[in-house]
Amino acid sequence: MTEACMRCKYTDGFDVCPVGFRESPNFLAIDPDECIDCAVCIPECPVNAILPEEDVPADQVAFIKLNADLAKGWPSITKRKAALPDADEWKDVKNKLDQLQR
């Protein structure tokens, strides 16, 4: 999960994901120990926040480790929820890491 998810939390991929994600108040993380790399969630994300690891842009590579670290302490979410109320305002904003709520 890349920075594009920050302050959005679109959960469209949950309808197809067999394992789920991890959730904070304003970000979703992929647990690399649970993910089975099926990639069915990738086309479902409306902000293209989910990418195969080999396709993560250089400026987003830090999110690979961040997902692994954050997933250890966050609860699992396996069902679709509404996106954050102001998700559409944040979906195209760049450099949102300072917005992460742990």
Side-chain angles (χ1 to χ4, degrees), residues 2-94:
T2 61
E3 184 176 42
C5 181
M6 194 86 46
R7 299 227 29 188
C8 293
K9 281 180 44 176
Y10 292 102
T11 58
D12 302 52
F14 292 171
D15 290 340
V16 295
C17 178
V19 295
F21 295 80
R22 299 298 178 133
E23 178 184 35
S24 86
N26 70 345
F27 186 67
L28 300 169
I30 295 173
D31 185 335
D33 294 331
E34 292 178 353
C35 181
I36 60 171
D37 296 322
C38 67
V40 295
C41 61
I42 293 172
E44 301 300 317
C45 181
V47 293
N48 300 312
I50 308 169
L51 302 167
E53 190 170 327
E54 63 273 8
D55 293 339
V56 173
D59 68 334
Q60 298 291 300
V61 168
F63 278 85
I64 296 171
K65 181 176 182 333
L66 184 65
N67 274 261
D69 292 345
L70 297 173
K72 293 176 184 158
W74 288 354
S76 182
I77 174 175
T78 57
K79 294 189 174 154
R80 184 188 279 216
K81 292 183 174 183
L84 294 176
D86 58 352
D88 287 340
E89 296 170 33
W90 283 94
K91 70 180 182 178
D92 296 318
V93 175
K94 305 290 184 211

